[in-house]
Amino acid sequence: MATIVRCPTCHTPVVFEGNPFRPFCSERCKMIDLGAWAGEKYRIPGEPIEQDAPNDADEREGEGRKRPN
């Protein structure tokens, strides 16, 4: 018996096994979800990270490199 799941984007019932877009029903729904992540619509709860002064590795990153003219 096939496993039926609901597409997280449009909630259409879809067969899970053999579906190249699983758990989504189509490439369109998959891309809509990706766009939501890229647009920061989804967030993982947690404490905000403070932006401290750059560490030594950040300061050394540009050393020894010449800028293109």
Side-chain angles (χ1 to χ4, degrees):
M1 184 171 181
T3 302
I4 305 292
V5 297
R6 293 210 176 260
C7 173
T9 303
C10 71
H11 307 288
T12 300
V14 61
V15 176
F16 190 77
E17 293 84 9
N19 177 0
F21 307 110
R22 70 179 176 219
F24 305 99
C25 66
S26 64
E27 184 175 12
R28 177 182 177 272
C29 282
K30 181 178 172 181
M31 297 309 290
I32 289 171
D33 185 74
L34 178 62
W37 279 104
E40 298 182 357
K41 180 179 177 184
Y42 303 137
R43 296 179 185 251
I44 298 172
E47 296 296 319
I49 299 173
E50 292 184 26
Q51 297 294 326
D52 294 333
N55 63 28
D56 291 341
D58 292 337
E59 291 173 4
R60 288 191 309 259
E61 185 176 311
E63 288 180 12
R65 297 185 197 172
K66 292 183 178 179
R67 291 187 174 190
N69 295 332

